[in-house]
Amino acid sequence: MEIKKFIEENESRFLDELFSLIRIPSISSQKSHKQDMLACAERWRQLLIEAGADRAEVMPSDGNPLVFAEKHVSDDAKTVLIYAHYDVMPAEPLELWKSEPFEPVIRDGHIWARGADDDKGQAMIQAKAFEYMVKEKLLTHNVKFIFEGEEEIGSPSLNAFISKHKELLKADVILVSDTSMLGADLPSLTTGLRGLAYWEIEVTGPNRDLHSGHFGGAVANPINTLCEMLATVVGKDGRITIPHFYDDVEDVPQAERDMIHQIPFDEKKYMEAIGVNALKGEEGYSTLERNSCRPSFDICGIWGGYTGEGAKTVLPSKAYAKVSCRLVPHQQHEKISKLFVDYINSIAPDYVKVKVTPMHGGEGYVCPIDMPAYKAAEKGFEKAFGKKPLAVRRGGSIPIISDFERILGIKTVLMGFGLESNAIHSPNENMPLDIFRKGIEAVIEFHKRYE
Amino acid sequence: MEIKKFIEENESRFLDELFSLIRIPSISSQKSHKQDMLACAERWRQLLIEAGADRAEVMPSDGNPLVFAEKHVSDDAKTVLIYAHYDVMPAEPLELWKSEPFEPVIRDGHIWARGADDDKGQAMIQAKAFEYMVKEKLLTHNVKFIFEGEEEIGSPSLNAFISKHKELLKADVILVSDTSMLGADLPSLTTGLRGLAYWEIEVTGPNRDLHSGHFGGAVANPINTLCEMLATVVGKDGRITIPHFYDDVEDVPQAERDMIHQIPFDEKKYMEAIGVNALKGEEGYSTLERNSCRPSFDICGIWGGYTGEGAKTVLPSKAYAKVSCRLVPHQQHEKISKLFVDYINSIAPDYVKVKVTPMHGGEGYVCPIDMPAYKAAEKGFEKAFGKKPLAVRRGGSIPIISDFERILGIKTVLMGFGLESNAIHSPNENMPLDIFRKGIEAVIEFHKRYE
């Protein structure tokens, strides 16, 4: 059957299947969703069997279970391992959603829901391309699937799992749809990813909330202290001040910087889209370099004291922050994690108690563009989008990609179909139906081309 | 009747009356408690009539109503105006209370509840001393009561009310029980109060929460920016850096500093009581000077980004803080309020939008210790506590005290019976029964001595 016809005839079923996954709020960061994780894994198991896998099973791990499936064609053929994740980010702030995050709707040609893109929507693209290949008996290589349920919390159980199941996961290349393109008309393949390190900081001042009139001025306020400490992490020049932080950061090669400068990029439109009047980052680097090839430090959350209505005066006992660094290839997240803990402890004043807890992390990744699988992916994009995709580094982190390389010795091709406007991790996450269709077409072409 | 016998015979009724007030959660900072404010005012009206007032009424204001009551003895006699407030602070964090904040209990000889001290408990001391004077026909001066319901939110409607009712509130001195003593065995009268200014700051970065991987390093994070701005407000020397902030701050006279140094104060015990290893404040001043005669800057609350369980990476759209300064006499809160707004706006970078909203404020106050009413109060403490009270400046703010002086031309005597351990504004607020009894005795002696 012709591909476009296959998609057209089956689309309402594809969407029903995707919606059945989205309706399960598989939020890995919240313990109350434990049962949803199991339900979501089981639903994927069924869907992968229905799509044409010989076998599929939900496999236990130290955390949420994983879904493994495979279609074996020949012992002599190559094997493609398709990785995705079935967990999603929390949907808060809920009041900013135009429709329910876990009740998907089609509106203006987009699917709107948490997970519409990241990563249920993109994983469904892979499943449906695979279904076509099986149904049309076009598959000439083996296909394996491994879908995990802890990506959004840093895949804490995955390394142990893949170490234990090296034989099961044996493959020639890993294919992942969990990244985004430069634009709907500007297809691109991600060839670099940043790493991540994440910490929670707790600052304790007095042993209880104090009256700021009776104690203010004489007793250190833990929120003031937290702000003062965090304010030192990034210098005036936009560089992170933690000693030895840049030791392993490679200068971006001039050739790569030249390529980055060729990427069509309208800084004015970029600012308009996110509603800011000016940008801020490390001196000496462009915006596209800053958000892809250079490390960053962000306070992801902060809280302490009175945050309710009105004006309560208090000198609080505690202040907290969740902070993270995006890292570049060669920076080891565990080393950075320790450097940060040491740095904060070194500047922590004696009038407060400071506790820094590393949460999770992952290394960056670089994909060579001369790999056969990369070439096949390139052809896929070209077929579906009508132009050759650009090879670009992206600023996000998929720690597992570098772990796969380290533990399994397999390189990954990042064949992602996301768009900036898909608003992943934010309210009103969405996926244009047009991109969903083109994605399936592109992955089918990948399978046809990959040898 | 002998005073101690009067208290003993009537104490269970006194406590029933106090508990009936405490059970009304009259939290002025939360709009949902509007009805409780009315109920609490009405309850006070009944209690003041029952205590012996000729008349008492609930009077409307632009905000919560006030309770006015009076006992007229003679046109030729002096008049004492007793001010108190019937509103209380929010009880959060609720999980730290050992018993329900609005269900008072007697435990270990203390009354435990929100308002047990501040200011329902202390106001009840005044009411019961008044009741004794009336019942025993000992009152030789007129007594008026004015109880307001917005003290904890900065008394926004009181100035208009007292300006409108100058004749009704005419008096020779104002008596207030809303401050604390140095200790149960160290009675003291407050002769100075700090002023207050309070602001809320909103920092807006991008127009929505962004993926910190895709944008981190290239787009300013509003929490980082908020921390950086707030970190500049206090310098390394503990002095506030806002230009012209100290213009109206008088140097504490050496004589007063000498007196402060005579106050028994064990810094080690002070630190132990609040659980800190070191203190922090303005260089060149002692702890007691820092928390009473010198201004301070505290971040009372801060919030933004992801504050839930786990590790969500996000570059948030918004960050907020509630901040306040304690001011010293002669600093005008409206001037300081503007200086702070101007300062924050002057350092606000162009990559974020910053909004600073002044919330409320009040001036500081100084009470001369040669006033007849001050002398009478001194005698009251001496009678009840067995020693002459020290005259001390305190760090808290009761903005209304300076407003009374400015608008009505009347000085106030701060005859407060609180203790540090009463934990006002904190979980497990309480009042020792022993202090409650001594307070009544002291105020009765005040009435007997005041001429």
Side-chain angles (χ1 to χ4, degrees):
Chain A
M1 190 191 293
E2 201 267 326
I3 298 170
K4 285 201 166 58
K5 197 177 164 209
F6 164 77
I7 295 172
E8 198 183 314
E9 284 188 1
N10 292 286
E11 188 168 272
S12 72
R13 174 174 58 81
F14 293 173
L15 292 177
D16 284 347
E17 291 173 3
L18 174 57
F19 289 6
S20 73
L21 289 160
I22 288 172
R23 287 195 186 99
I24 304 168
S26 48
I27 304 167
S28 50
S29 64
Q30 296 172 355
K31 291 195 184 83
S32 58
H33 289 283
K34 212 71 197 169
Q35 285 306 316
D36 293 320
M37 307 315 292
L38 306 182
C40 198
E42 173 55 26
R43 182 66 188 130
W44 262 124
R45 192 194 64 76
Q46 294 163 352
L47 288 171
L48 289 172
I49 284 287
E50 287 168 24
D54 299 330
R55 68 184 186 105
E57 54 184 303
V58 173
M59 297 179 72
S61 80
D62 295 337
N64 295 324
L66 290 93
V67 186
F68 175 81
E70 73 174 318
K71 170 76 184 175
H72 190 75
V73 170
S74 157
D75 285 349
D76 301 327
K78 285 191 172 171
T79 299
V80 175
L81 173 61
I82 296 168
Y83 163 87
H85 63 91
Y86 66 82
D87 63 324
V88 294
M89 276 282 175
E92 285 81 6
L94 298 175
E95 68 276 15
L96 297 184
W97 285 80
K98 286 182 190 147
S99 53
E100 293 298 315
F102 297 106
E103 187 46 61
V105 295
I106 304 287
R107 199 169 62 234
D108 306 329
H110 292 237
I111 307 160
W112 301 86
R114 171 60 83 232
D117 171 330
D118 180 19
D119 188 41
K120 289 170 178 172
Q122 294 220 44
M124 188 56 75
I125 287 172
Q126 286 290 344
K128 296 300 108 179
F130 168 72
E131 179 181 316
Y132 176 85
M133 295 300 290
V134 174
K135 286 199 173 150
E136 298 293 317
K137 300 190 170 54
L138 293 171
L139 210 55
T140 57
H141 48 254
N142 307 309
V143 175
K144 294 178 179 176
F145 293 90
I146 187 75
F147 286 6
E148 73 150 319
E150 301 184 331
E151 198 270 346
E152 300 293 11
I153 53 169
S155 307
S157 317
L158 194 60
N159 284 0
F161 182 91
I162 61 177
S163 299
K164 190 174 167 186
H165 298 287
K166 280 183 186 171
E167 190 57 35
L168 186 75
L169 299 173
K170 207 168 175 180
D172 296 280
V173 73
I174 297 170
L175 189 63
V176 176
S177 292
D178 193 25
T179 46
S180 61
M181 307 184 289
L182 292 172
D185 297 327
L186 204 59
S188 60
L189 270 152
T190 301
T191 54
L193 287 168
R194 290 198 285 187
L196 177 74
Y198 198 108
W199 306 266
E200 186 166 311
I201 305 176
E202 179 189 80
V203 181
T204 306
N207 53 16
R208 64 178 195 278
D209 288 359
L210 300 178
H211 190 295
S212 71
H214 298 169
F215 292 91
V219 176
N221 179 317
I223 308 182
N224 291 45
T225 307
L226 176 61
C227 288
E228 286 160 13
M229 291 196 299
L230 292 176
T232 69
V233 176
V234 179
K236 291 268 177 229
D237 55 2
R239 282 175 72 87
I240 291 159
T241 61
I242 300 164
H244 303 292
F245 185 89
Y246 289 92
D247 281 6
D248 301 323
V249 172
E250 269 191 329
D251 284 340
V252 184
Q254 192 55 45
E256 185 153 2
R257 296 187 75 174
D258 290 346
M259 205 180 73
I260 291 169
H261 293 172
Q262 284 168 28
I263 296 171
F265 178 69
D266 184 333
E267 199 153 272
K268 197 159 162 282
K269 276 192 186 159
Y270 179 83
M271 290 196 286
E272 275 169 14
I274 58 175
V276 299
N277 295 324
L279 297 169
K280 187 204 175 216
E282 189 181 356
E283 275 175 20
Y285 292 91
S286 71
T287 294
L288 289 184
E289 287 165 352
R290 288 167 174 175
N291 70 14
S292 67
C293 313
R294 301 296 299 173
S296 61
F297 172 75
D298 273 291
I299 305 172
C300 298
I302 195 164
W303 69 104
Y306 184 70
T307 58
E309 191 189 347
K312 181 180 174 181
T313 53
V314 63
L315 196 169
S317 171
K318 301 264 192 185
Y320 300 86
K322 290 174 189 273
V323 303
S324 76
C325 279
R326 296 288 167 168
L327 310 175
V328 296
H330 304 296
Q331 280 188 299
Q332 291 173 294
H333 73 90
E334 283 173 356
K335 184 172 164 188
I336 296 294
S337 187
K338 190 173 176 314
L339 286 178
F340 182 79
V341 173
D342 290 348
Y343 172 71
I344 294 294
N345 285 332
S346 77
I347 64 166
D350 59 355
Y351 43 77
V352 293
K353 293 174 198 81
V354 175
K355 192 174 144 198
V356 189
T357 310
M359 304 281 277
H360 75 247
E363 317 290 9
Y365 174 73
V366 176
C367 169
I369 60 174
D370 53 2
M371 280 167 40
Y374 182 84
K375 295 281 179 201
E378 218 172 31
K379 293 285 181 195
F381 276 92
E382 213 169 330
K383 174 90 190 299
F385 293 88
K387 53 179 95 164
K388 189 173 170 179
L390 285 166
V392 293
R393 286 216 215 178
R394 304 308 296 257
S397 309
I398 317 181
I400 186 61
I401 303 304
S402 53
D403 291 341
F404 277 140
E405 184 170 16
R406 186 170 46 82
I407 300 170
L408 299 178
I410 315 175
K411 279 282 186 188
T412 296
V413 172
L414 293 155
M415 202 176 175
F417 301 100
L419 293 176
E420 205 45 74
S421 52
N422 290 7
I424 67 167
H425 294 203
S426 294
N428 304 308
E429 178 174 349
N430 68 93
M431 163 81 86
L433 281 171
D434 176 55
I435 297 289
F436 182 69
R437 292 169 195 137
K438 283 178 175 161
I440 296 171
E441 210 179 334
V443 178
I444 289 171
E445 188 68 16
F446 167 89
H447 285 300
K448 287 181 174 175
R449 296 281 187 158
Y450 180 62
E451 288 171 343
Chain B
M1 189 190 294
E2 202 267 323
I3 298 170
K4 285 202 164 58
K5 197 176 164 210
F6 164 76
I7 295 172
E8 198 183 316
E9 284 189 0
N10 292 285
E11 188 167 271
S12 73
R13 174 174 58 83
F14 294 173
L15 292 176
D16 283 348
E17 290 173 4
L18 174 57
F19 288 7
S20 73
L21 289 162
I22 287 172
R23 287 194 186 100
I24 304 168
S26 48
I27 305 166
S28 50
S29 64
Q30 296 172 354
K31 289 195 185 85
S32 58
H33 289 283
K34 211 73 197 167
Q35 285 306 315
D36 294 320
M37 307 315 292
L38 305 182
C40 199
E42 174 54 27
R43 182 65 187 131
W44 263 122
R45 192 193 64 77
Q46 294 163 354
L47 289 172
L48 290 172
I49 284 287
E50 288 166 24
D54 301 329
R55 68 182 186 105
E57 53 183 303
V58 174
M59 299 179 71
S61 79
D62 295 339
N64 295 325
L66 290 93
V67 186
F68 175 82
E70 73 174 316
K71 171 76 183 173
H72 189 76
V73 171
S74 157
D75 285 349
D76 301 328
K78 284 193 174 170
T79 300
V80 175
L81 173 61
I82 296 168
Y83 163 88
H85 63 91
Y86 66 82
D87 62 323
V88 294
M89 275 284 176
E92 285 82 5
L94 298 175
E95 67 277 14
L96 297 183
W97 285 80
K98 286 181 191 148
S99 53
E100 294 297 315
F102 297 106
E103 186 45 60
V105 295
I106 304 287
R107 200 169 61 234
D108 306 329
H110 292 238
I111 307 159
W112 300 87
R114 170 59 82 233
D117 171 329
D118 180 18
D119 187 36
K120 289 170 178 172
Q122 294 221 44
M124 188 56 75
I125 287 172
Q126 287 290 344
K128 296 300 108 180
F130 168 73
E131 179 181 316
Y132 176 84
M133 295 300 289
V134 173
K135 286 201 175 151
E136 298 294 316
K137 299 191 170 51
L138 294 171
L139 209 55
T140 57
H141 49 254
N142 307 309
V143 175
K144 293 178 180 178
F145 293 91
I146 188 74
F147 287 8
E148 73 149 319
E150 301 184 331
E151 197 271 346
E152 299 293 11
I153 54 168
S155 306
S157 316
L158 194 60
N159 284 1
F161 182 90
I162 61 177
S163 299
K164 189 176 168 185
H165 299 286
K166 279 183 187 171
E167 190 56 35
L168 185 76
L169 300 172
K170 209 170 173 179
D172 295 282
V173 72
I174 297 169
L175 189 62
V176 176
S177 293
D178 193 24
T179 47
S180 61
M181 306 184 292
L182 291 172
D185 297 326
L186 203 59
S188 59
L189 270 152
T190 301
T191 54
L193 287 169
R194 290 197 286 187
L196 177 74
Y198 198 109
W199 306 265
E200 186 167 310
I201 305 176
E202 179 189 80
V203 180
T204 306
N207 52 16
R208 63 179 194 277
D209 288 359
L210 299 179
H211 189 295
S212 71
H214 298 171
F215 291 91
V219 176
N221 178 318
I223 307 182
N224 291 44
T225 307
L226 177 61
C227 288
E228 286 161 12
M229 290 195 299
L230 292 175
T232 69
V233 176
V234 179
K236 291 267 179 230
D237 55 2
R239 283 175 70 87
I240 291 160
T241 61
I242 299 164
H244 303 291
F245 185 88
Y246 289 92
D247 282 5
D248 301 324
V249 172
E250 268 192 331
D251 283 341
V252 185
Q254 191 55 47
E256 184 153 1
R257 296 188 74 173
D258 291 346
M259 205 181 72
I260 292 169
H261 292 172
Q262 284 168 29
I263 297 171
F265 178 70
D266 185 333
E267 198 154 274
K268 196 160 163 281
K269 276 193 187 160
Y270 178 82
M271 289 196 287
E272 275 169 15
I274 58 173
V276 299
N277 294 324
L279 296 170
K280 188 206 175 213
E282 189 182 354
E283 275 175 21
Y285 292 91
S286 71
T287 294
L288 289 184
E289 288 164 350
R290 287 168 174 174
N291 69 14
S292 67
C293 313
R294 300 296 300 172
S296 61
F297 173 75
D298 273 292
I299 304 172
C300 298
I302 194 164
W303 69 104
Y306 184 70
T307 58
E309 193 189 348
K312 181 180 174 181
T313 53
V314 62
L315 196 169
S317 171
K318 301 265 192 185
Y320 301 86
K322 289 173 190 276
V323 303
S324 76
C325 279
R326 297 288 168 170
L327 309 175
V328 295
H330 304 296
Q331 279 189 300
Q332 291 174 292
H333 73 89
E334 283 173 357
K335 185 172 162 187
I336 295 295
S337 188
K338 192 174 175 312
L339 286 178
F340 182 79
V341 172
D342 290 347
Y343 172 71
I344 293 294
N345 285 332
S346 77
I347 63 167
D350 58 353
Y351 42 76
V352 293
K353 293 175 199 80
V354 175
K355 192 174 143 197
V356 190
T357 310
M359 304 281 278
H360 75 249
E363 318 290 8
Y365 174 73
V366 175
C367 170
I369 61 174
D370 53 2
M371 279 168 41
Y374 181 84
K375 295 282 180 199
E378 219 172 30
K379 294 286 181 195
F381 275 94
E382 213 170 330
K383 175 92 190 296
F385 293 89
K387 53 179 95 164
K388 189 175 169 178
L390 286 166
V392 293
R393 287 217 215 179
R394 304 308 296 257
S397 309
I398 317 181
I400 186 60
I401 304 303
S402 53
D403 291 341
F404 277 140
E405 184 170 17
R406 186 169 47 82
I407 300 170
L408 300 177
I410 315 175
K411 279 281 186 189
T412 296
V413 172
L414 293 156
M415 202 175 177
F417 302 100
L419 292 175
E420 204 46 73
S421 53
N422 290 6
I424 66 167
H425 293 204
S426 294
N428 304 307
E429 179 174 349
N430 68 93
M431 162 82 85
L433 280 172
D434 177 55
I435 297 289
F436 182 69
R437 292 168 196 139
K438 283 178 175 159
I440 296 171
E441 211 178 334
V443 177
I444 288 171
E445 189 66 15
F446 166 88
H447 284 301
K448 287 182 175 175
R449 297 282 186 158
Y450 180 62
E451 288 172 342

